[in-house]
Amino acid sequence: MEKTAQVDMMRRIFSSCATCYMWMGDIDAAALHMTEPEALAAAQGGLDAIRFLSGEDPEWNVPFSLTTQSQKCKAGDAIVLLLQSPWWQRIWTVQEATSPKHGVVLWGPLSLPWGYMTLTAERLIRGEWPPEEHLAIYDLFPNYSFFTSPMLALIWAARWVSAPHGPYEMLYRFRYRRSTDPRDKVYVILNLVAENTYPLPSVRSSDYTIPTAILYRRVMLDLLRHEHGLRPLIGFRGEPKSVAGLPSWVVDWSGAPEGQGRAAFWEHDKFWYNYTADRGLPMLDLDRLTWPEQGDDVLNVNGVFFEKILTCSDLMAQDDSEERREEMMGEMIAKALVEDPRFRVISEVYWQAALEDILEGNYADPNENLEGVMGDAYWRLEMLRDQRLFITENGAVGLGPSGTEAGDEVWVLSGGRSPFLLGPLHMSDNASKSEDVAYHYTIKGDVFIPGIMNGEAVDSRKDTQRFVHIH
């Protein structure tokens, strides 16, 4: 109860303080491979560079600490080190950066007003760089996304008090920051929006007496109702759960265990609105997501069965070469022909072409700009890693999450712009007396299958729709 009271007070404390000092730690000379005086000079150059890049001086007079190429390189290294401070990984420091009227970065004996961090990030994002004859941005570092990405998240969070994003985006924005209690990942956003604003209707204040699994389940139901659809279920990609007792359909906001794969919500969301796989199905029944007879941990969704998985490829990694992925595709086709020889000749030719289109990103819009690259290039960069190619029992091909395996079922569900992959649940003998035993599943993630992404699977199966029960 004491922690609940403290957390609920934090909004008022931070929003009413005149200046918040954000401690980034000492300057790590060893990490910079410098002596302490050299590291201090490099760090000062780094902070001077941030102030300079903010555009404070309209004459663009280069600071003395950035006059030589060596100084610029060392300043850039120092900025990278600054952004590696543990401060950037802690969940509650989000409030330090967003709620107070003014902030000051403290780094060893050095300081910098937070406003310069924000201005510099905004200018870099807009491509407003200083004139090259004064200072070329790439003299500092070859890529500045390490700076703009975390800063952009904090810039957005600072605006949530007046213009909040959707609750799913707010939760995901800082999902992988560290917390001492996994429930902090939810309660932090309550302190970033205006008072008496409730982005999650079932979580109106922090309450550390509620078990984490129950809190996360309530949050997921709020998110599904807010979205009026299954968007919160996309991008799972087989990410393991850390919190015990979580149903497969509930996002584990505590984050993936160290060193294991992460979900890819942002990547999948880039393509989500391009599809209408559920066209022709009734809307997601928001009042019947859970049923008393099934229990609170079971999600109930109407849908139509498409096909079962016949075989799948090895897991594709981020650094796989094109040759290796082509090899995986060939191995999978060979397995499919062994599993079901009736596919030989006609299907083999189709599979080769359709799977190559998936690998090349040919189903994405090549003219759409996604984070600075064209749609097909973005697909190749972000949509293949930690996923598997697959072939279904009736010869369809697709792309699915890491847990894809033979016997899994593809369903098109109400509220699902993409189809979803469900793993049949092996029920106990007692449960087998239920007439719905064949329709109990775990959810593995959303899938891409050419030819059914715009309602084609529903058109011929409307009469077969039924509820599935996802554990």
Side-chain angles (χ1 to χ4, degrees):
M1 293 296 291
E2 182 180 352
K3 183 170 183 179
T4 295
Q6 290 173 344
V7 168
D8 288 343
M9 288 173 59
M10 286 175 66
R11 182 212 319 255
R12 291 191 293 274
I13 292 171
F14 278 102
S15 60
S16 61
C17 76
T19 303
C20 179
Y21 293 93
M22 293 167 267
W23 175 242
M24 300 288 161
D26 292 317
I27 300 165
D28 188 348
L32 291 171
H33 307 289
M34 300 176 188
T35 65
E36 289 193 4
E38 289 172 337
L40 181 61
Q44 183 63 65
L47 298 187
D48 288 346
I50 292 171
R51 186 188 290 260
F52 178 78
L53 293 172
S54 74
E56 175 196 40
D57 180 2
E59 301 299 321
W60 296 106
N61 293 305
V62 178
F64 180 74
S65 60
L66 298 171
T67 52
T68 70
Q69 185 59 42
S70 175
Q71 287 177 317
K72 294 171 189 175
C73 289
K74 290 176 180 178
D77 291 341
I79 296 173
V80 171
L81 181 64
L82 175 65
L83 272 290
Q84 291 172 349
S85 164
W87 183 91
W88 297 91
Q89 298 303 318
R90 297 195 295 269
I91 189 68
W92 286 109
T93 55
V94 173
Q95 196 160 24
E96 292 181 20
T98 57
S99 295
K101 297 177 179 65
H102 302 286
V104 175
V105 171
L106 299 179
W107 192 23
L110 308 178
S111 65
L112 180 74
W114 179 255
Y116 288 117
M117 300 281 288
T118 299
L119 286 171
T120 293
E122 290 175 336
R123 290 184 67 90
L124 289 175
I125 290 166
R126 293 195 298 265
E128 297 175 359
W129 305 340
E132 284 202 14
E133 61 269 23
H134 292 267
L135 187 146
I137 187 70
Y138 296 114
D139 285 344
L140 293 169
F141 23 67
N143 184 304
Y144 48 77
S145 62
F146 76 91
F147 184 88
T148 53
S149 292
M151 282 302 304
L152 184 58
L154 293 171
I155 290 168
W156 278 331
R159 298 170 181 168
W160 289 347
V161 69
S162 58
H165 288 179
Y168 198 62
E169 285 83 352
M170 290 194 287
L171 285 166
Y172 237 104
R173 187 65 61 189
F174 301 105
R175 183 185 173 202
Y176 294 107
R177 285 200 172 211
R178 298 190 184 101
S179 64
T180 54
D181 189 305
R183 291 166 288 194
D184 293 342
K185 297 295 189 73
V186 172
Y187 295 143
V188 68
I189 72 164
L190 299 179
N191 284 10
L192 298 175
V193 296
E195 259 190 293
N196 301 317
T197 300
Y198 306 107
L200 300 166
S202 70
V203 188
R204 299 175 73 86
S205 66
S206 59
D207 183 351
Y208 287 88
T209 66
I210 300 174
T212 302
I214 293 176
L215 174 66
Y216 285 6
R217 188 191 68 220
R218 291 177 182 175
V219 166
M220 199 64 178
L221 290 171
D222 280 346
L223 295 172
L224 292 167
R225 292 182 177 115
H226 178 270
E227 293 286 340
H228 293 269
L230 302 182
R231 180 169 168 258
L233 301 180
I234 65 175
F236 280 9
R237 292 204 189 178
E239 179 185 87
K241 299 183 189 295
S242 300
V243 174
L246 281 184
S248 66
W249 53 275
V250 174
V251 171
D252 184 350
W253 297 108
S254 70
E258 198 68 32
Q260 300 200 38
R262 290 184 172 186
F265 165 72
W266 300 113
E267 292 85 345
H268 286 233
D269 194 50
K270 298 284 193 303
F271 299 97
W272 173 252
Y273 290 103
N274 295 343
Y275 311 135
T276 54
D278 64 335
R279 188 190 65 201
L281 287 176
M283 294 180 65
L284 181 65
D285 192 339
L286 303 181
D287 296 323
R288 301 190 69 206
L289 295 177
T290 59
W291 300 355
E293 61 269 31
Q294 298 290 346
D296 292 337
D297 284 342
V298 180
L299 181 70
N300 305 283
V301 185
N302 180 68
V304 295
F305 168 71
F306 177 62
E307 289 181 20
K308 285 187 178 183
I309 303 298
L310 174 68
T311 189
C312 61
S313 73
D314 290 343
L315 188 65
M316 292 184 284
Q318 178 78 58
D319 56 356
D320 281 339
S321 65
E322 289 184 26
E323 292 75 16
R324 174 59 187 138
R325 288 175 175 166
E326 293 275 347
E327 186 179 286
M328 289 183 194
M329 179 183 71
E331 291 168 353
M332 182 183 65
I333 291 174
K335 282 193 293 184
L337 294 175
V338 170
E339 292 283 342
D340 197 334
R342 68 190 169 95
F343 284 130
R344 193 170 297 280
V345 183
I346 295 177
S347 291
E348 186 174 3
V349 173
Y350 163 71
W351 289 340
Q352 186 83 25
L355 289 167
E356 283 181 353
D357 281 341
I358 291 176
L359 291 177
E360 289 298 316
N362 292 339
Y363 294 106
D365 183 353
N367 298 313
E368 184 179 13
N369 189 311
L370 299 175
E371 297 186 6
V373 296
M374 296 299 99
D376 54 346
Y378 185 89
W379 179 281
R380 293 192 296 273
L381 285 169
E382 302 294 351
M383 291 301 289
L384 301 178
R385 61 177 174 83
D386 298 328
Q387 301 234 72
R388 297 181 192 268
L389 301 169
F390 62 76
I391 298 173
T392 69
E393 290 185 349
N394 285 321
V397 301
L399 180 68
S402 63
T404 304
E405 55 188 342
D408 288 342
E409 299 181 12
V410 177
W411 283 74
V412 179
L413 304 173
S414 291
R417 288 177 169 270
S418 293
F420 284 88
L421 188 69
L422 306 181
L425 194 66
H426 302 292
M427 306 292 284
S428 66
D429 290 338
N430 289 337
S432 67
K433 296 176 183 177
S434 166
E435 63 177 356
D436 285 335
V437 66
Y439 298 98
H440 288 256
Y441 301 90
T442 59
I443 188 166
K444 296 193 172 183
D446 53 313
V447 299
F448 175 83
I449 300 178
I452 71 165
M453 302 304 290
N454 292 297
E456 297 90 340
V458 176
D459 291 341
S460 59
R461 294 172 175 83
K462 280 185 182 178
D463 294 340
T464 67
Q465 60 185 292
R466 59 155 297 120
F467 275 89
V468 293
H469 313 290
I470 304 172
H471 292 248

